[in-house]
Amino acid sequence: MSDQNVRNAGFTSSGITRGSLASSMMSQEAKAAGGGVRSGGPTATLQEMGARGSTHSSGFTSSGISSRSPASQMMSQEACSHGGGTPRGGTTSTVQSI
C-alpha cells in the first residue's frame, strides 16, 4: 500500500472525497451497520491513514503485512475474533487491498 493509493481512493487529510471509492465504502459500511461507520473498521482505518498522510508505519505493504507491526496486530485480533481467519471484506483484507 502506498500513500498515493490511499489518497487516490479518496482518503485525504481534508476528509473523504465526494464521489470516490472512499465515499462508496463509507456509504456501504454505514448502511450495513445501521447508519454509522464503526471505529476501527475499514473506512475509519483508511481515513486515519489518509488524514495522517502516511501509511509507512502501519505495516501494510505491497508485499504483504509486516511482522510485529500495527497491521499484524490488527490481523491477529481479527483472526482471533473470527475463529482463526481474517474474513473477506473485513478491516485487514480491505485495508491491505488498497
Side-chain angles (χ1 to χ4, degrees), residues 1-2 5 49 55-67 69 71 95-98:
M1 173 189 339
S2 72
N5 288 353
M49 290 178 187
T55 61
H56 301 296
S57 63
S58 68
F60 291 100
T61 72
S62 60
S63 58
I65 293 176
S66 299
S67 63
S69 67
V95 173
Q96 182 60 30
S97 72
I98 299 289

Side-chain angles (χ1 to χ4, degrees), residues 72-84:
S72 69
Q73 292 173 345
M74 177 187 294
M75 183 175 71
S76 177
Q77 289 172 346
E78 192 171 20
C80 287
S81 68
H82 287 91

Side-chain angles (χ1 to χ4, degrees), residues 9-91:
F11 298 99
T12 71
S13 59
S14 58
I16 290 178
T17 305
R18 176 180 282 171
S20 66
L21 172 63
S23 67
S24 177
M25 282 179 62
M26 183 175 71
S27 175
Q28 291 175 7
E29 192 175 337
K31 286 176 186 174
V37 175
R38 71 178 177 83
S39 176
T43 302
T45 300
L46 285 162
Q47 181 52 39
E48 180 182 348
M49 290 178 187
R52 279 189 311 210
S54 177
T55 61
H56 301 296
S57 63
S58 68
F60 291 100
T61 72
S62 60
S63 58
I65 293 176
S66 299
S67 63
R68 296 184 207 95
S69 67
S72 69
Q73 292 173 345
M74 177 187 294
M75 183 175 71
S76 177
Q77 289 172 346
E78 192 171 20
C80 287
S81 68
H82 287 91
T86 55
R88 185 177 192 170
T91 301

